[in-house]
Amino acid sequence: MFSKANLVSTIVTAIWGMGGGFLLWGIIADPIMSDSMMSGLMKPEPDFFHLAIGCLIQAFGFSSIYGKYGRNDYSAKDGLGMGALVGVMIGAGEKLIDFATSNMINFEGTIMNFVIYMIFFGITGLLVGLVYKKMA
């Protein structure tokens, strides 16, 4: 669980979590999705300390799962595949549940969020796969 590949992968994907999340949701999606979300829902400025901790935990969890179930034949393709599955699970599954149970976001926004989650976790998986392939 605390292998060198897992720790390096965790750091790389935590950095991607912060930077990629800012790029995908903060810069690209914000102007597109602002009409799809309930106003006043998002904080004007994120709490960067807790955001960084969350990205680190998410990266560690993703990297650990990939390391454990990656069949010891690690590759960028396998990482991308796992990232796509996580993107479907969170982006479609969880976000459709959110849509069905709350008024935070409309259906159009839910679909846009799903696409962004697929891209985000696809790249996350790709990075994890590359790190594990080089280091395992």
Side-chain angles (χ1 to χ4, degrees):
M1 181 189 274
F2 291 105
S3 68
K4 186 176 179 182
N6 189 12
L7 294 176
V8 171
S9 174
T10 295
I11 292 167
V12 168
T13 55
I15 292 168
W16 161 248
M18 289 284 290
F22 178 72
L23 172 69
L24 294 173
W25 280 281
I27 294 175
I28 296 172
D30 186 50
I32 299 168
M33 292 181 60
S34 61
D35 292 338
S36 298
M37 296 185 72
M38 190 168 117
S39 65
L41 186 63
M42 303 301 287
K43 292 181 177 183
E45 195 68 30
D47 173 353
F48 287 104
F49 175 75
H50 289 100
L51 180 61
I53 297 296
C55 288
L56 194 60
I57 291 169
Q58 179 177 283
F60 179 72
F62 192 103
S63 297
S64 297
I65 292 168
Y66 181 78
K68 184 167 178 83
Y69 298 105
R71 298 174 303 210
N72 293 325
D73 183 27
Y74 306 114
S75 70
K77 180 182 172 191
D78 286 340
L80 183 64
M82 181 183 154
L85 287 173
V86 171
V88 167
M89 180 180 71
I90 295 174
E94 181 185 343
K95 297 308 169 188
L96 278 171
I97 292 168
D98 287 348
F99 172 74
T101 59
S102 73
N103 291 318
M104 293 187 302
I105 193 166
N106 66 20
F107 188 72
E108 181 181 302
T110 299
I111 298 302
M112 287 188 284
N113 216 7
F114 164 61
V115 170
I116 295 167
Y117 270 98
M118 289 293 292
I119 294 166
F120 178 80
F121 280 111
I123 293 171
T124 299
L126 181 85
L127 292 170
V128 170
L130 288 170
V131 170
Y132 267 85
K133 183 178 175 105
K134 291 281 185 198
M135 301 191 86

